[in-house]
Amino acid sequence: KYLCSINVFEPVKSYYDFIKDRFKRNRKINVFNYGFGKSNEILDIIVSAESSSLYIPADNHVKESIELKSFNEFVTSVEHIDLVKINIEGSEYDLLESIDDTNIKKLLNIQVQFHTFVSNCEQRRNAIRERLSLTHECTYCYDFVWENWKLKNTN
C-alpha cells in the first residue's frame, strides 16, 4: 500500500531460505541471513519453530550457529528507520539495552514483544520502558504481548 522498502533479518538458515524464496520476486523486500544483537558474535540458537531462541534449554531441539551483528553499528549507517519490529525470543532485552542515545532517536516506531522466560524480565522491561519514555511515547501496550513506541515530536 505504501510502497515501503522492507529489510528482513533472519539468522536461522532454513527460515532465511524460506523467506528469501517467498519474496524473491519482490524487489522491495531484502532478506539478510543474520540477526541483530548488542555486538557482533556467533552464537548457538535452539531451533524450535516459532520459538527458536538463545534462551530455551537444548533438550531434544536442533542447535545451529547463527551470526548476530551489532544493531548500533547498523543504525549508525542509516538516517532513520520508520519501523523496527523486534520479536527475538528473549534477546530483545539485550538489544534494546544496548542501543545508544543517538541511535534510539533514529527509530521512528519500535514494535517489541517482550518475553517472560528471561531472568528479571519485569525489571528489565520496566527499565527499558522508562528509558524509551524519554524519547518515545507508547501508542499501545498489551503487556508481554506487543507494544509500540513512537518517537516524540522533536519540534
Side-chain angles (χ1 to χ4, degrees):
K1 181 176 182 179
Y2 300 103
L3 300 176
C4 58
S5 294
I6 299 171
N7 293 315
V8 179
F9 301 91
E10 175 53 63
V12 176
K13 180 74 166 102
S14 59
Y15 302 157
Y16 161 80
D17 289 340
F18 175 80
I19 296 165
K20 184 89 171 155
D21 185 60
R22 179 176 180 192
F23 296 111
K24 66 185 172 193
R25 290 180 181 84
N26 189 332
R27 291 178 298 194
K28 300 292 269 176
I29 299 177
N30 303 300
V31 186
F32 301 89
N33 189 203
Y34 60 88
F36 285 116
K38 61 183 177 181
S39 60
N40 296 322
E41 54 190 335
I42 304 293
L43 297 172
D44 286 336
I45 191 169
I46 303 305
V47 180
S48 178
E50 296 87 27
S51 301
S52 297
S53 177
L54 301 170
Y55 295 93
I56 59 175
D59 296 333
N60 297 324
H61 298 295
V62 175
K63 195 168 29 170
E64 178 180 321
S65 288
I66 60 166
E67 179 181 11
L68 297 182
K69 293 189 178 185
S70 165
F71 189 70
N72 267 319
E73 287 180 22
F74 175 78
V75 176
T76 298
S77 70
V78 300
E79 183 179 323
H80 73 275
I81 298 173
D82 291 318
L83 169 66
V84 60
K85 179 182 168 194
I86 303 169
N87 182 12
I88 50 178
E89 303 303 317
S91 295
E92 62 276 2
Y93 299 97
D94 287 343
L95 178 81
L96 288 166
E97 291 165 348
S98 74
I99 301 173
D100 67 38
D101 291 339
T102 300
N103 286 334
I104 201 77
K105 294 174 187 171
K106 291 183 174 186
L107 307 177
L108 305 186
N109 284 278
I110 302 167
Q111 286 183 356
V112 59
Q113 183 177 58
F114 288 102
H115 293 81
T116 58
F117 54 79
V118 175
S119 298
N120 300 315
C121 63
E122 288 186 29
Q123 296 88 346
R124 290 177 78 184
R125 177 177 173 260
N126 289 340
I128 290 167
R129 290 175 52 82
E130 183 69 29
R131 181 175 173 232
L132 283 174
S133 72
L134 300 175
T135 54
H136 291 70
E137 61 183 323
C138 186
T139 58
Y140 65 83
C141 177
Y142 301 96
D143 291 346
F144 292 99
V145 179
W146 277 106
E147 55 193 82
N148 188 80
W149 290 82
K150 180 181 178 185
L151 186 66
K152 291 179 180 177
N153 191 350
T154 55
N155 293 336

